[in-house]
Structures are given as structure tokens and as C-alpha cells.
Amino acid sequence: MSRIDTETARRVAKLARIAVPDDDLPALAGELSGILDFMEQLGEVDVTGVAPMTSVTPMRLKRREDVVTEGEMAGRILSNAPDAREGFFAVPKVVE
Amino acid sequence: MSELTDLTIAEARDALARGDVTSAELTEASLGAIEGAGALNVFIRPTPERAMEQARAADARRAAGDAPAMCGIPVGVKDLFCTRGVESQAASFILDGFRPEYESTVTQNLWDAGAVMLGKLNMDEFAMGSSNETSTYGDAVNPWRRTGDNTPLTPGGSSGGSAAAVAARLCAGATGTDTGGSIRQPAAFTGTVGLKPTYGRCSRWGIVAFASSLDQAGPMTRSVRDAAIMLGAMAGHDSKDSTSADIPVPDFEAMLTGDIRGKKIGVPREYRMEGMPAEIETLWHKGAEMLRDAGAEIVDISLPHTKYALPAYYVIAPAEASSNLARYDGVRYGHRATLAQGDGITEMYEKTRAEGFGKEVQRRVMIGTYVLSAGFYDAYYNKARKVRTLIKRDFEQAFAAGVDAILTPATPSPAFALGEMSEADPVQMYLNDVFTVPTNLAGLPGISVPAGLDSGGLPLGLQLIGHPWEEGDLLNTAHALESAAGFVSKPEKWW
């Protein structure tokens, strides 16, 4: 049984922002379905009254002062950008 | 000087302390070994100038009377760790040419402790894989081969380069990371020691994130003592990682007394898997006998939710990965696709990620996207997190009943051939992690210790799992197992 059809695979690829050619969608749908079939075993477990885990070690998230600790390094931050201009990251036109 | 590369961290440290050798000599020997090991495809980016500079600095430091724990010891670094000014790509094309402007806390701790960086090591792309075959650099190759058979084997993954480098005597120690077994499985495949510490023991800051609630860095070495030394240098609280534990780092090496009399070792019946090779079952029994002979009490225990660890893991890890990997968009670093006329920002994201991510990473990002999407979040993601609670509870109940450590096989098979799984269903590859994944889900420390050879002459490992924050006790039990097993084999040099 296939849990993910070609249309669902197309939608998931879109949500993940990964371009997948139409020809590859059926195979992708099959692979994703196989993985989800494997996960179906979780349905056998009785989880009544069980809280979903939010932290694996019982620790309180540490607080810190809300102050600037580092900064003034635009050049270093931009140093790896594929396209940086005039102190900014450059991207294709977003608004028409 | 080839024998210098045979030294363990502890032996090299003692030789340095006696003045028998300098860090520059040790480092040169390692760099020479690396140069001759191209066929293993392990050190994908050696950093010889930096290594020699650090080695000379370590020698000067020692001469000045300051010799911290790893002073002058050359190590390799998994490509997942960001190292300032040195390409750090997580073995992915999407981070092509990325040179961090910062240093990961774990590597900084190592340099502060005097260690010398030999270079960056091959791995599975974004640490997603169990065979080092998803790397943008190509496969890393296991220095071990089956007796009388030249078939190239996988060193395991994702820390396959680290494991192979340590086994091949290119370095005495290397950093690894372990999200579902990525330190322990390759250690088992290469006859080396691999320790995944308690979640929070080592800072995750500056390590490329895969699944943040599971990722943990640890040492890969040739002896338990070396793992103790190296963990001490890597660990510690870091204000830059809010999940790093603010507790003292003990002297792990000092805890290696070898005395495990009266310790209670649990053997979980659920780890007896159908289809597991008889040799692994036999080794497991032998391991239990060795610990019994050393004075421990062996008890049968039950971890009833073990079977559900793998499916829970393969919901949680991809879910976290899909969020973590959203940052690779072609804007701030790494690869950006060439765009066609009229392409907008969405096309830039989609083309960049299609070109930049390999197939396995794409698959996991999409699975993660699916299980987090509206309508499926409860059925998959929340369900998996509830099962995770139960898996952790299994361990807590065993420990509450007096069990000090748990003994299991490290992997369901010895190293397999590169390419052997290429036609297999992705789930078949995931089964490699069946014995290691529960430990990550429960946040516990686990160590793989080489314990014997199979009939084909390949190393097999046993895993010990300990109480949270009790790495010292776990290492001591591992030390006892290591001494009893007396594993001294090493791969015959063919590369």
C-alpha cells in the first residue's frame, strides 16, 4: 500500500523547497511510502497518559542577561555569501 | 619513524613528557602516514602547515612547563566541526567552500588542551548515513579487509573517516559525532573505541546541526584510556549551547581502576535479534563471561520498547533535520544554483537545495517535512516523542533496579562491502543503527569496544551503556572489558 502518491510527493518537495523533476516523483513517492510503512509500527505502542519528550535531560533552560555580547562584524558574516553587495546579502528580486 | 604513528594518545603523551619525542616529530609522522593513505579517502582536507605550527607551539609550551592533557597530540577532526578558516562542509556540496569565521567549542577545547589539528575527515553528508557513502567527497574506505579478499569495505558511518583514520594509524584520536550510532557503529567496524557521551556533556556549538536533541560529540581512539583522556579535553560547560550541562568534568582517566567487582551488568533480552549472525551472539555471551570473570554480576533485563526505538528515531531525527537544514538556502553561505531568466527567490531555494543536497539528505528532509506537516504532526511526530519517553523510562527502570551498565552488541553485522547496500531499500540501511539508536533517544552515554574478530577476520564490537553523567564509571567497565578481550589485531597495510 502506498501512503504517499505522486501528488503528495510533489507537495512535500514543494514544502521542503527542493526541486524534484516530474519524472522522479513516482520513485520518490515509493521511497517515502516505504519509510512511513516502517514507522507504522509505532501504532502498536500504547501511549495513553504518556507525555511527549521535550528534553532528554531534566534541566532547566539557562537564562542569561539580555545584552549584546558580540557584534560589529558584518564583513565576517558576509564573507561566505555567494552574493554580497554593499554590506548586504543579495538575492533575486522578491517583490515585483 | 613509522612506529610513532602506532603510539596511543597515552603512550605519545608519556613519550613527550619523557622528552623521547617532540610533537613536531609525532605530527610529521602522522602527516607522512596521511600522505600515503590517499586510497582510504579519509583525510579529505589535510592541514599540514597549521599542524606543524601547532606542533611547534605545543613543544614550546611544554618547554615552558605548561603541558595540558593533549599537549602535542595530533588529532583528526570530522568535517562536521566548524574550524576557523578551514573549509567545513559537513561533507555536503551545499556548503561548498564554506570557511567558518569561528571555531566549534569542542575543537577550541582540544586546541586549548594542546592538541594538534592534522586536517578534516570524511563522513556521511550531514552525518546522515551508516556507511560513509553519502559524502560529497566520495566513499571513505575501511583499512580492514576480509582475509584473502580485496573487496573494499565500508568503515561505517557517519564518522567513517574518523574511524578509518584512527584504525589506519593516521592519527591516534579523532573527533566524531553520534546522533543514532555515528561514533559507535564505525568504531565497531574498524576495531576502534568510540564513545558517545551523555547528551549535554560536550557543547554542540559550532558543530553543524543534524538532529539537535540527539547530536553529541565524542572521541574515537584506539584504547579506552585514550577515550577517557580525549573526552576530558573535549567536554565542559559552554554558555553558547543552552543544552550543555553546567557540571564539573571529572578526571575520567583517574577512574580507570579496572576494578568492576560487584558491578551489576544488565543483558537486555530484546537485543537478541532474529537473523543476527551467530558470531555476534557468541561474542556477546563471551563479553558477559569476561565481565563476570572480572567480578561483575550479570543479570538478564528487559527494555520492552527497544523494538520501537528505530521507527521513533526515524521520525524524530528527520523532523529535526528538516528544520535545521532549512538554513541552507543559497543566501548566506555555500552553493547557490545558477538561475534562469525570470527565476525568483523560490526557484533559487528549490534549485540550490536540489543541487546541493544528496539523495539521502533530500529524502530525510522530505520525510521530516511530511511528519511535521499539518494533519500528520500528532500521528507521527508527537507519537514518536511519546514513544521516546517510554524508551527512556525502560532504561531508568533498569538502572533503578540496580543495574550499573548494560552490555549489548554494537552492530548487527561486521563491516559490509561498499556498494553492497546501494540497491537496498533505505530502511535496510537504517537497521545498522538498531542497537545504538535507543541510547541517543534516552540521552545516555554509550561506548563501543573492540572485542574480537569474525571468521572473515573483521573486527566486531560490543557496546556498554551507562548512567547519565557517569562516563567515568562506564569507561572503567569498558576498560575491564577491553583488558579481558585483549584485542590487539590491526589492519594489514595495503594502501
Side-chain angles (χ1 to χ4, degrees):
Chain A
M1 189 197 73
S2 186
R3 293 177 192 282
I4 292 198
D5 58 18
T6 305
E7 271 322 297
T8 311
R10 188 193 308 278
R11 191 169 57 83
V12 171
K14 185 78 196 168
L15 285 171
R17 298 288 183 270
I18 296 174
V20 178
D22 280 355
D23 288 353
D24 294 351
L25 286 171
L28 175 66
E31 281 173 5
L32 298 183
S33 296
I35 296 169
L36 290 170
D37 282 343
F38 177 63
M39 292 169 181
E40 279 314 300
Q41 296 173 64
L42 293 177
E44 298 165 15
V45 187
D46 181 5
V47 292
T48 318
V50 177
M53 184 184 284
T54 49
S55 170
V56 72
T57 42
M59 56 166 72
R60 257 173 64 91
L61 201 58
K62 293 195 69 138
R63 306 289 163 94
R64 60 167 172 80
E65 290 295 308
D66 187 13
V67 291
V68 176
T69 53
E70 270 186 296
E72 305 296 334
M73 52 173 91
R76 284 169 64 191
I77 287 167
L78 291 171
S79 67
N80 277 289
D83 190 0
R85 298 178 209 169
E86 298 164 41
F88 296 97
F89 294 110
V91 296
K93 202 158 137 187
V94 179
V95 185
E96 286 305 323
Chain B
M1 274 212 283
S2 66
E3 71 277 11
L4 284 184
T5 56
D6 268 327
L7 298 178
T8 63
I9 292 175
E11 289 164 352
R13 175 193 61 188
D14 296 346
L16 284 162
R18 287 192 304 266
D20 292 352
V21 68
T22 64
S23 175
E25 288 167 339
L26 281 172
T27 303
E28 263 169 32
S30 281
L31 290 171
I34 291 167
E35 216 173 283
L40 298 175
N41 197 27
V42 164
F43 269 92
I44 43 83
R45 194 165 287 109
T47 52
E49 292 87 19
R50 182 181 160 140
M52 288 314 298
E53 202 176 295
Q54 281 183 315
R56 283 189 287 265
D59 285 331
R61 197 171 169 179
R62 183 178 296 279
D66 172 30
M70 299 272 294
C71 194
I73 307 289
V75 298
V77 175
K78 187 178 183 180
D79 200 36
L80 203 64
F81 291 77
C82 286
T83 43
R84 188 166 185 177
V86 179
E87 283 93 334
S88 306
Q89 286 185 220
S92 181
F93 180 55
I94 210 158
L95 276 168
D96 191 33
F98 175 57
R99 280 150 69 122
E101 290 281 346
Y102 48 84
E103 186 78 29
S104 85
T105 298
V106 161
T107 48
Q108 187 62 52
N109 287 349
L110 283 168
W111 316 144
D112 290 348
V116 170
M117 174 158 113
L118 293 167
K120 303 299 282 284
L121 290 161
N122 206 345
M123 56 177 280
D124 277 298
E125 184 181 8
F126 283 107
M128 297 181 192
S130 305
S131 63
N132 213 123
E133 291 171 288
T134 69
S135 167
T136 190
Y137 309 119
D139 305 346
V141 183
N142 197 328
W144 289 85
R145 289 170 162 181
R146 295 181 191 118
T147 311
D149 179 349
N150 290 346
T151 310
L153 305 178
T154 174
S158 69
S159 311
S162 304
V166 171
R169 273 66 182 164
L170 308 183
C171 50
T175 64
T177 62
D178 191 315
T179 304
S182 282
I183 285 177
R184 291 159 289 157
Q185 183 254 18
F189 278 12
T190 56
T192 56
V193 174
L195 170 67
K196 181 202 92 73
T198 313
Y199 181 80
R201 181 60 93 179
C202 291
S203 169
R204 292 181 295 107
W205 195 82
I207 301 174
V208 174
F210 163 11
S212 304
S213 81
L214 301 159
D215 297 345
Q216 186 59 207
M220 305 186 71
T221 57
R222 285 194 297 270
S223 77
V224 171
R225 180 171 302 280
D226 286 3
I229 296 169
M230 195 166 164
L231 175 64
M234 294 169 70
H237 175 245
D238 177 15
S239 57
K240 288 188 276 196
D241 172 6
S242 60
T243 62
S244 106
D246 196 357
I247 55 171
V249 178
D251 182 346
F252 296 115
E253 192 186 6
M255 295 163 94
L256 303 179
T257 61
D259 183 2
I260 59 162
R261 282 174 298 173
K263 294 278 179 197
K264 206 183 246 193
I265 309 294
V267 174
R269 67 178 69 101
E270 289 80 7
Y271 282 61
R272 202 156 285 123
M273 289 221 334
E274 216 171 297
M276 186 162 80
E279 285 180 304
I280 289 185
E281 174 107 31
T282 308
L283 183 80
W284 191 14
H285 283 300
K286 270 195 205 156
E289 274 167 33
M290 289 178 216
L291 293 173
R292 185 187 291 121
D293 291 344
E297 181 193 349
I298 307 298
V299 290
D300 283 322
I301 62 167
S302 175
L303 301 168
H305 295 91
T306 298
K307 179 184 166 198
Y308 303 105
L310 212 48
Y313 174 85
Y314 276 98
V315 173
I316 292 167
E320 295 187 23
S322 79
S323 304
N324 273 326
L325 272 58
R327 73 190 70 177
Y328 304 104
D329 56 7
V331 175
R332 286 159 294 169
Y333 26 63
H335 176 70
R336 179 187 289 189
T338 306
L339 301 183
Q341 193 69 35
D343 277 352
I345 196 157
T346 304
E347 288 79 14
M348 183 194 75
Y349 295 151
E350 291 179 346
K351 288 183 178 178
T352 295
R353 290 161 65 82
E355 290 176 11
F357 291 145
K359 285 283 162 247
E360 181 60 23
V361 172
Q362 292 193 15
R363 205 155 36 220
R364 295 204 199 182
V365 166
M366 285 193 262
I367 280 287
T369 303
Y370 182 78
V371 299
L372 291 175
S373 65
F376 300 103
Y377 185 91
D378 269 324
Y380 290 106
Y381 184 61
N382 258 344
K383 179 81 191 231
R385 289 197 304 147
K386 289 176 183 175
V387 172
R388 186 174 179 189
T389 300
L390 293 172
I391 287 163
K392 183 170 181 237
R393 191 178 295 169
D394 285 353
F395 284 106
E396 283 167 349
Q397 285 169 350
F399 292 146
V403 167
D404 293 294
I406 295 167
L407 178 73
T408 80
T411 56
S413 77
F416 47 89
L418 287 164
E420 189 177 321
M421 304 282 278
S422 60
E423 296 302 313
D425 175 284
V427 173
Q428 286 306 309
M429 188 64 101
Y430 298 168
L431 289 173
N432 263 290
D433 301 333
V434 67
F435 298 136
T436 46
V437 148
T439 320
N440 298 78
L441 289 172
L444 301 171
I447 186 167
S448 175
V449 179
L453 296 176
D454 80 340
S455 55
L458 294 181
L460 295 172
L462 288 173
Q463 174 181 235
L464 284 161
I465 303 165
H467 289 228
W469 313 117
E470 301 289 341
E471 289 90 350
D473 193 55
L474 177 67
L475 283 158
N476 186 39
T477 309
H479 182 55
L481 180 64
E482 176 188 51
S483 310
F487 184 90
V488 289
S489 311
K490 59 180 205 173
E492 212 166 298
K493 191 170 183 306
W494 53 264
W495 57 91

